[in-house]
Amino acid sequence: MAPLDPHSFTDSTHTLTTHIALSLYFDFPSATIHGAALFTLSSPHSGPLCLDTRSLSIHRVLSPSTLSPLPYSLSPFCDPIKGTHLSLSLPNDAALSSFLITFSTSPSSSALQWLSPPQTFNKKHPFVYTQCQSIHARSVFPCQDTPAARIRYSALLNVPRELSAVMSARHVDRRLPVSGEGYSNLLPNGFNSLWCSETRVVEEFDMNQPIPPYLFAFAVGELGFREVGPRTRVYSEAADGVLEAAAKEFAGTEDMIRQGEKLFGDYEWERFDLLVLPPSFPYGGMENPRMVFLTPTVIKGDASGAQVVAHELAHSWTGNLITNKNNEHFWLNEGFTTYAERRIVEAVQGEDRAVLSIGIGWRGLNDEIKRFQDNLEFTKLKTNQEGVDPDTFYSQVPYEKGFQFLWCIERQIGRPAFDEFLKKYIATFKFKSIDTETFLDFLKANAPGIEKEIDLVLWTEGTGIPPDAYEPVSNLYTKIVSLANEFKLGRMPREDEVADWQGQEWELYLENLPKVVEASQVFALDARYRLSESNDYEVKVAFLQLAILSKCRDFYGEVEKTLKEVGRMKYLRPLYTALVQGIGKEEEKILAKRVFAEARDCYHPIAQGVVESIFAKHL
């Protein structure tokens, strides 16, 4: 076996899948999906073929033309990171270019979160959604679950008629089910007979552009939408106030798309729709093509949440069009996208906003280097991830160190030249998955002599922060950092000094304070500015983290409330870590364990795993 990806059973000598046609029956009472998947290969193949699965029941593997069974086997053990190896045996005497698999998901699927009505915005109907990055598509359907294997797909989603569905694909139709369509007559456990029930509808989708499997996405629930631009709708559950607030927050999306096109070339995905998910969504956003998923915590009421949208939009060029070959080169997705996001923000919101974002990222990068001081491998851009769970070691390093690398190149060759380089890079590698070496070869070919000016090996393979990384400079940035330094000497900022501050300014201020201060300072800061009650979770969580580390137990009620009302890992990770890390914190550890036990079922499985890994390390 010749592995293609340290997180996949895919064999590099085997033919890759190019298209998957899915028929999926959603059974909400059992929190399972019963499916049939028709796989089309890039060329006829005979002999073994390796697929990834996790928590799937495989019922049959068939030849599509004859429906005769094909031999297959599942590995007797489940790898804790990669899942279960599904090995097919395609006939040697007649190579096949397609095959059919019927399967069922499990309630423990790592990609799926099934929400009961009380866990949703509207409290009336259930909801289910996917989060397939980095390696969770395999828990929805069997596949070669590596970014190196880009696929097109079509899907028939059979759902209760009172619900609707969205996907990272073009919506074709909403209609009554048709008997036998999409091999639905082969669905297991009697669900073939339920396909055409009068209580069901079919939502049909098609994605005709090749995407990595982690960008496969759907959500099913009672959904409404608002138009916010010629290419953008904002979707959410049909609940009071959510859609209106989201539409207002993201009203400037079309302007950002146009600025992105000026910088990086045509927008290739036709639609840029947004779905605001329930609070349990584990990320700020997910860049699914045509249908970006967002946490409701980005709705802040001042349009500043649009920066998260700018990041997901930037992925439309860097990440979705050009993708890292595997997670060892994750910086190619996120470093480029962080750079592109800040260029869009600079064009739309001004240079000060972009510099604040860079400054927050700079502080975050320095914190991450300290976090990994005992495992410096994860301070590199190009990492060795054999035997490593990408969710556990997820960090800001590929984002912020990757950004700094590209910013360094821009300074060296000049912005106009770098802009032309970016457009050529995107045009050359669009709809391809590449590695760090491919990028560096392209860079050296198109910026001759760059390796003499910048140590490319140090940047991509070295640990820590290279000496030519750069802290941003602006009057506003310098003022905020100076005020944070004065807090260390006991001076709190005056109200006239912060009168114009939004969440980003406060976030930068808090990030530059010492990790631990006198409890009296924490109380005084909150008494004047009520940061513990901020509607901006970036500000609120940064303040609560300071309060925990400074042992201000009066704020623990707000900590508990926050951990129970949101599932975004950006907030869970620092708060739970602050509670359990270190010695002499028995009260905090008891609180953390109790809160997690009570909130666990409201977290996405990925977030559950991250909190459990924090506990395993510190408890």
Side-chain angles (χ1 to χ4, degrees):
M1 182 175 179
L4 187 64
D5 182 325
H7 301 121
S8 173
F9 293 110
T10 303
D11 192 316
S12 63
T13 65
H14 292 174
T15 304
L16 295 180
T17 305
T18 57
H19 188 275
I20 303 176
L22 292 158
S23 299
L24 304 177
Y25 184 98
F26 288 71
D27 184 39
F28 279 87
S30 66
T32 54
I33 297 171
H34 304 283
L38 176 64
F39 295 76
T40 301
L41 301 174
S42 59
S43 61
H45 184 82
S46 58
L49 186 73
C50 302
L51 299 179
D52 298 302
T53 76
R54 182 187 290 121
S55 303
L56 293 180
S57 296
I58 304 300
H59 301 294
R60 290 193 283 179
V61 180
L62 305 170
S63 168
S65 57
T66 63
L67 298 185
S68 57
L70 298 172
Y72 71 92
S73 63
L74 286 164
S75 58
F77 66 93
C78 178
D79 184 281
I81 297 171
K82 293 191 287 188
T84 304
H85 179 193
L86 172 60
S87 179
L88 313 185
S89 296
L90 303 186
N92 289 316
D93 56 345
L96 294 180
S97 58
S98 63
F99 55 89
L100 179 69
I101 300 178
T102 61
F103 61 94
S104 298
T105 66
S106 161
S108 63
S109 166
S110 59
L112 296 169
Q113 185 171 25
W114 299 83
L115 299 173
S116 64
Q119 295 174 304
T120 66
F121 281 130
N122 63 29
K123 312 298 183 186
K124 297 177 183 177
H125 296 287
F127 195 97
V128 64
Y129 69 92
T130 55
Q131 175 55 40
C132 290
Q133 196 180 41
S134 297
I135 54 171
H136 301 283
R138 66 193 68 183
S139 70
V140 183
F141 57 96
C143 59
Q144 293 163 318
D145 195 6
T146 167
R150 301 177 76 101
I151 55 168
R152 296 174 172 86
Y153 74 86
S154 59
L156 304 177
L157 308 190
N158 189 299
V159 302
R161 65 187 306 170
E162 65 272 17
L163 306 181
S164 57
V166 294
M167 289 197 82
S168 57
R170 180 176 63 88
H171 186 242
V172 177
D173 198 9
R174 176 183 172 93
R175 56 173 174 76
L176 294 175
V178 177
S179 179
E181 62 181 332
Y183 297 97
S184 59
N185 56 307
L186 301 178
L187 291 180
N189 302 329
F191 286 94
N192 54 341
S193 63
L194 298 177
W195 184 269
C196 290
S197 167
E198 62 182 16
T199 65
R200 312 287 293 190
V201 296
V202 164
E203 299 266 23
E204 184 176 352
F205 296 88
D206 181 60
M207 170 49 77
N208 61 10
Q209 295 160 301
I211 62 170
Y214 72 80
L215 291 178
F216 175 87
F218 61 71
V220 179
E222 186 188 27
L223 299 173
F225 67 86
R226 297 287 185 272
E227 302 279 357
V228 297
R231 291 179 273 192
T232 305
R233 288 177 172 177
V234 174
Y235 291 80
S236 81
E237 287 184 87
D240 290 344
V242 178
L243 270 176
E244 289 69 20
K248 182 178 180 181
E249 190 82 17
F250 309 130
T253 300
E254 179 61 24
D255 191 21
M256 290 195 295
I257 298 173
R258 290 172 180 167
Q259 291 296 337
E261 289 183 311
K262 289 179 183 178
L263 290 166
F264 312 119
D266 291 343
Y267 180 78
E268 299 271 0
W269 306 95
E270 185 182 7
R271 299 286 306 174
F272 183 72
D273 292 327
L274 310 171
L275 171 66
V276 179
L277 284 162
S280 58
F281 183 57
Y283 291 99
M286 182 62 211
E287 63 269 19
N288 309 309
R290 301 182 67 103
M291 185 59 67
V292 166
F293 286 4
L294 295 169
T295 168
T297 63
V298 301
I299 303 174
K300 302 178 182 182
D302 59 5
S304 62
Q307 288 201 17
V308 173
V309 175
H311 185 88
E312 308 313 327
L313 170 64
H315 268 304
S316 302
W317 292 275
T318 54
N320 297 4
L321 270 187
I322 305 176
T323 307
N324 50 234
K325 191 173 183 179
N326 61 51
N327 217 65
E328 294 183 326
H329 308 276
F330 189 48
W331 81 271
L332 289 172
N333 277 21
E334 296 299 349
F336 270 91
T337 297
T338 302
Y339 176 87
E341 165 209 335
R342 288 169 180 160
R343 291 293 304 277
I344 293 171
V345 167
E346 180 183 320
V348 175
Q349 298 184 352
E351 186 176 353
D352 270 349
R353 287 288 125 197
V355 170
L356 287 180
S357 177
I358 296 170
I360 292 168
W362 175 256
R363 176 51 51 199
L365 176 60
N366 280 270
D367 288 345
E368 295 285 40
I369 299 303
K370 293 175 184 176
R371 172 189 166 197
F372 289 119
Q373 60 187 351
D374 296 327
N375 196 343
L376 291 175
E377 178 67 24
F378 297 104
T379 69
K380 299 177 181 179
L381 288 183
K382 178 186 172 185
T383 55
N384 177 2
Q385 295 196 17
E386 188 67 45
V388 171
D389 185 336
D391 291 329
T392 300
F393 286 95
Y394 176 88
S395 81
Q396 291 300 303
V397 172
Y399 295 73
E400 297 298 342
K401 187 175 179 179
F403 164 80
Q404 285 284 342
F405 181 31
L406 298 174
W407 201 26
C408 181
I409 298 170
E410 180 206 285
R411 292 196 301 274
Q412 180 62 43
I413 69 176
R415 177 169 282 191
F418 192 60
D419 284 352
E420 290 306 309
F421 169 82
L422 281 179
K423 287 180 180 177
K424 185 175 181 181
Y425 168 70
I426 292 167
T428 300
F429 295 108
K430 68 179 183 180
F431 296 114
K432 295 179 181 178
S433 300
I434 67 170
D435 56 20
T436 300
E437 288 71 26
T438 301
F439 166 72
L440 292 178
D441 288 344
F442 186 81
L443 173 64
K444 287 183 281 188
N446 287 274
I450 190 71
E451 69 273 20
K452 297 176 183 177
E453 305 297 334
I454 298 174
D455 190 335
L456 304 180
V457 174
L458 176 66
W459 267 103
T460 55
E461 300 182 34
T463 61
I465 302 175
D468 46 350
Y470 192 73
E471 184 175 7
V473 176
S474 78
N475 291 336
L476 179 59
Y477 177 81
T478 302
K479 174 187 173 183
I480 294 170
V481 173
S482 296
L483 286 172
N485 289 332
E486 290 178 7
F487 186 84
K488 301 171 189 176
L489 303 175
R491 188 177 94 77
M492 193 183 308
R494 300 188 311 270
E495 292 186 13
D496 64 293
E497 292 175 310
V498 303
D500 297 329
W501 282 16
Q502 296 179 331
Q504 231 179 351
E505 286 88 343
W506 276 113
E507 183 184 358
L508 180 63
Y509 177 79
L510 291 167
E511 292 291 345
N512 278 278
L513 295 182
K515 298 302 179 188
V516 180
V517 300
E518 293 294 329
S520 60
Q521 291 179 289
V522 177
F523 287 119
L525 186 61
D526 192 60
R528 180 174 294 183
Y529 295 114
R530 316 307 300 175
L531 300 180
S532 66
E533 302 170 11
S534 175
N535 292 325
D536 187 326
Y537 278 91
E538 306 290 338
V539 176
K540 183 177 187 176
V541 169
F543 176 81
L544 292 176
Q545 185 180 12
L546 177 68
I548 295 169
L549 295 175
S550 302
K551 294 190 175 181
C552 297
R553 294 185 170 91
D554 286 10
F555 293 102
Y556 286 6
E558 195 62 44
V559 172
E560 177 173 350
K561 177 184 173 185
T562 301
L563 289 171
K564 287 182 174 180
E565 67 189 7
V566 297
R568 186 177 176 184
M569 292 188 293
K570 185 177 183 181
Y571 308 143
L572 303 185
R573 186 180 280 110
L575 292 182
Y576 277 113
T577 300
L579 286 171
V580 302
Q581 188 176 40
I583 59 175
K585 301 176 72 173
E586 292 310 310
E587 179 181 340
E588 287 81 1
K589 292 177 180 179
I590 291 170
L591 172 65
K593 289 189 285 186
R594 178 180 61 78
V595 170
F596 182 57
E598 294 172 3
R600 186 183 188 280
D601 288 346
C602 293
Y603 295 160
H604 187 281
I606 296 173
Q608 293 174 4
V610 166
V611 177
E612 287 164 354
S613 71
I614 292 170
F615 285 4
K617 181 177 180 181
H618 296 293
L619 293 180

